[in-house]
Amino acid sequence: MVKAAKGALLATLEIDRNSGAPIYRQIEEFLRRMILNGALPPGQKLPSTRELALELGVSRITIKSVYEQLISEGYVQGKTGAGTFVSEGLDGETPVVPSLDAGKKDYLDGNFSQTAEHISFSKASARYGSILPFRPGVPALDEFPIKRWNKYLSRAMTKSDITNFSYGDLLGSKKLRSSIAHHLADSRGMKIDPKQILITSGAQQAFVLISYILMNKNDTIWYENPGHIAGRDLMKIVGGDVSPIPIDNEGLNLPIAISNFPKPKLIFSTPSHQQPLGITMSLQRRLALLKYAHENASWVIEDDYDSEFRYRGRPLPALAALDNVGRVLYVGTFSKSLFPSVRIGYVVVPEILMDAFAKMRNIFGQTSSAITEEALSNFMDDGGFAEHIRKMRRLYRDRRDILLNALQENCSNILIPQQTDAGMHILADIKNGISDRLAHLEILKSGIDSLPLSIYYEGPAERQALVLGFSGVQKKVIPQLVRKMGAALNSLNTNK
Ligand SMILES: Cc1ncc(COP(=O)(O)O)c(C=O)c1O
């Protein structure tokens, strides 16, 4: 029998009757925090409502309402006759953002900076590195040509290339910048000088550099909504006034942005495959966005994170390829085309900004390794990279088709999957008013991942949907996983 948590747990729970915060809220917040930080692990039994009420000197009804709230949020589960238990499969996930009051108390006690306070409200997942099935953004890691890659890596580490053991070039390897310039000319229609390319440790480091170099506190940022969480949180932390710009069927809704928000210093966009909705920005919208940026001296970030994966038709050239004034900062990453831990990305910067970027990269700790840069450059120049992309494109297209079929067969009563011609995930809208966070937590208990669409929104979500990554899941296991997912989701349906 699982022993109920008490003793140490209860000893640290202090109710502040003068704080003005309702007692039930204080207890709820306390338990949420204990679950999220692992002090109450998955499967842990909670004290009975009677016990906890006695211990804390509050009514049993208060504790009952606390438990009911936590059950509805997915943190705990009630088992008839056995008690209340911490849900399985939470391991550090952040399913619900802590409320402002509770967060503030911890972070403003004088120990932490105000930046840390902002970070406490981030919805970026603590389970960032999950590779459980259907986690979005995970490439087919087991299909990566490791043997071939290792050859390039070990060659980059030989004695004759001893310079790779040092800090390397301030802008990142010259050779790699040239390989990337060729790749961008071939695949994205961009004619650029390698001198405009700066190597980063991924797209996120590029966003960090851009934010610190081009943004002042309180500058307006237009940011796609829903949109990439880590980029948005970063810009808030740096002090930007981040305005949520809705998405229509042409991409970032420029007319709404112009009529509702002040002129922006920066505009964050994902034109080739909107993250997470998957919309491709129309040519008209691209041209209008560039015209607006030129006329209003705004910088446009083009995050081209997964543009390699298009399954029908030819991709539109990058927004940066249409920009002849130099207002677009094009950001690319190898996290999706190779694997995330390679930690290499890049930003294409107008030449006048290069010096500032190079110095800032140095101040922020350089981060990408000259050895990996050299290996990647050789992998690209020998055709290994293009070959891998071609192979993955075929593989991902098959995986997408199998996932769509399996969802149609097993989950059509509860999910409405969206067709997609690009990227590494699909959206599946949830029927019957079930919240996507709850659905996400429910399937996680069976070892199946996803992300709730609502966490990508600033403010209330317009849709409740699961974001299901297909690229990292082997074909043969997709149908059985989807059957499990269907059973889990249907249990929510019947418990409603
Ligand atoms: C929209 C978007 N941009 C960029 C990235 C990649 O970030 P990084 O290159 O730092 O791994 C991700 C990762 O999930 C993403 O979703």
Side-chain angles (χ1 to χ4, degrees), residues 128 137 201-205 207 228 268 270 275 303 305 332-336 340 343-344:
Y128 188 60
S201 62
Q204 186 67 12
Q205 196 201 12
F207 305 148
H228 180 45
F268 181 91
T270 46
Q275 168 75 322
D303 176 11
Y305 66 108
T333 178
F334 292 93
S335 289
K336 310 296 163 193
R343 298 319 300 144
I344 298 191

Side-chain angles (χ1 to χ4, degrees), residues 200-241:
T200 62
S201 62
Q204 186 67 12
Q205 196 201 12
F207 305 148
V208 171
L209 300 178
I210 292 170
S211 302
Y212 276 97
I213 290 171
L214 295 175
M215 233 177 82
N216 284 314
K217 263 204 159 115
N218 303 321
D219 275 349
T220 299
I221 314 296
W222 289 356
Y223 202 98
E224 294 177 338
N225 192 39
H228 180 45
I229 301 167
R232 180 171 57 215
D233 286 348
L234 162 74
M235 288 173 198
K236 283 189 186 171
I237 286 164
V238 179
D241 182 5

Side-chain angles (χ1 to χ4, degrees), residues 71-124:
I71 288 172
S72 77
E73 291 175 8
Y75 283 90
V76 302
Q77 287 175 301
K79 292 186 189 162
T80 321
T84 309
F85 297 81
V86 177
S87 299
E88 296 289 348
L90 292 181
D91 307 325
E93 181 63 275
T94 315
V96 178
V97 197
S99 87
L100 215 74
D101 313 347
K104 246 193 176 140
K105 193 165 183 301
D106 276 349
Y107 281 84
L108 288 185
D109 270 353
N111 290 318
F112 298 102
S113 67
Q114 288 186 356
T115 303
E117 183 201 356
H118 281 290
I119 289 170
S120 77
F121 302 130
S122 170
K123 285 188 271 181

Side-chain angles (χ1 to χ4, degrees), residues 163-164 166-175 177 197-199 358 361-362 366 368-370 373:
T163 49
N164 289 337
S166 185
Y167 285 104
D169 196 305
L170 202 57
L171 306 170
S173 144
K174 199 169 171 189
K175 206 159 153 303
R177 283 153 51 219
I197 298 176
L198 179 103
I199 306 296
R361 176 185 190 260
N362 189 23
Q366 182 177 345
S368 58
S369 149
E373 289 173 5

Side-chain angles (χ1 to χ4, degrees), residues 40-350:
L40 285 174
Q44 173 71 60
K45 186 176 183 186
L46 296 185
S48 70
T49 51
R50 184 191 303 276
E51 243 179 330
L52 192 52
L54 258 176
E55 199 74 43
L56 299 175
V58 300
S59 78
R60 209 170 152 201
I61 295 174
T62 303
I63 304 297
K64 268 192 174 165
S65 84
V66 166
Y67 281 10
E68 275 163 19
Q69 178 62 26
L70 294 179
I71 288 172
S72 77
E73 291 175 8
Y75 283 90
V76 302
Q77 287 175 301
K79 292 186 189 162
T80 321
T84 309
F85 297 81
V86 177
S87 299
E88 296 289 348
L90 292 181
D91 307 325
E93 181 63 275
T94 315
V96 178
V97 197
S99 87
L100 215 74
D101 313 347
K104 246 193 176 140
K105 193 165 183 301
D106 276 349
Y107 281 84
L108 288 185
D109 270 353
N111 290 318
F112 298 102
S113 67
Q114 288 186 356
T115 303
E117 183 201 356
H118 281 290
I119 289 170
S120 77
F121 302 130
S122 170
K123 285 188 271 181
S125 173
R127 290 178 55 257
Y128 188 60
S130 163
I131 54 166
L132 285 175
F134 302 131
R135 180 78 177 186
V138 180
L141 301 172
D142 54 344
E143 295 286 335
F144 187 72
I146 292 174
K147 266 195 185 155
R148 186 168 180 181
W149 177 252
N150 274 344
K151 274 190 205 148
Y152 292 111
L153 258 189
S154 58
R155 222 183 287 158
M157 289 192 72
T158 53
K159 266 206 152 164
S160 56
D161 262 334
I162 204 90
T163 49
N164 289 337
F165 285 70
S166 185
Y167 285 104
D169 196 305
L170 202 57
L171 306 170
S173 144
K174 199 169 171 189
K175 206 159 153 303
L176 177 59
R177 283 153 51 219
S178 160
S179 314
I180 291 172
H182 279 121
H183 164 67
L184 291 177
D186 287 349
S187 65
R188 308 299 290 123
M190 289 167 63
K191 289 189 188 64
I192 46 159
D193 191 321
K195 281 197 210 123
Q196 290 175 255
I197 298 176
L198 179 103
I199 306 296
T200 62
S201 62
Q204 186 67 12
Q205 196 201 12
F207 305 148
V208 171
L209 300 178
I210 292 170
S211 302
Y212 276 97
I213 290 171
L214 295 175
M215 233 177 82
N216 284 314
K217 263 204 159 115
N218 303 321
D219 275 349
T220 299
I221 314 296
W222 289 356
Y223 202 98
E224 294 177 338
N225 192 39
H228 180 45
I229 301 167
R232 180 171 57 215
D233 286 348
L234 162 74
M235 288 173 198
K236 283 189 186 171
I237 286 164
V238 179
D241 182 5
V242 180
S243 313
I245 310 299
I247 309 296
D248 65 7
N249 58 8
E250 293 195 72
L252 181 136
N253 196 325
L254 190 62
I256 287 200
I258 294 172
S259 47
N260 288 281
F261 296 101
K263 275 186 195 172
K265 187 73 184 288
L266 268 177
I267 303 172
F268 181 91
S269 67
T270 46
S272 58
H273 187 238
Q274 203 276 329
Q275 168 75 322
L277 299 181
I279 286 156
T280 302
M281 191 182 283
S282 69
L283 185 59
Q284 284 89 331
R285 189 61 59 78
R286 286 170 194 243
L287 294 173
L289 182 60
L290 286 174
K291 184 164 182 282
Y292 180 89
H294 296 168
E295 289 173 356
N296 294 279
S298 305
W299 297 103
V300 181
I301 299 176
E302 175 176 25
D303 176 11
D304 215 22
Y305 66 108
D306 69 356
S307 63
E308 291 85 0
F309 304 115
R310 177 158 288 276
Y311 310 114
R312 204 165 59 116
R314 278 162 49 84
L316 280 176
L319 184 67
L322 299 169
D323 171 30
N324 41 31
V325 177
R327 279 280 152 200
V328 177
L329 301 140
Y330 177 93
V331 175
T333 178
F334 292 93
S335 289
K336 310 296 163 193
S337 50
L338 298 180
F339 51 94
S341 72
V342 74
R343 298 319 300 144
I344 298 191
Y346 52 93
V347 53
V348 182
V349 176

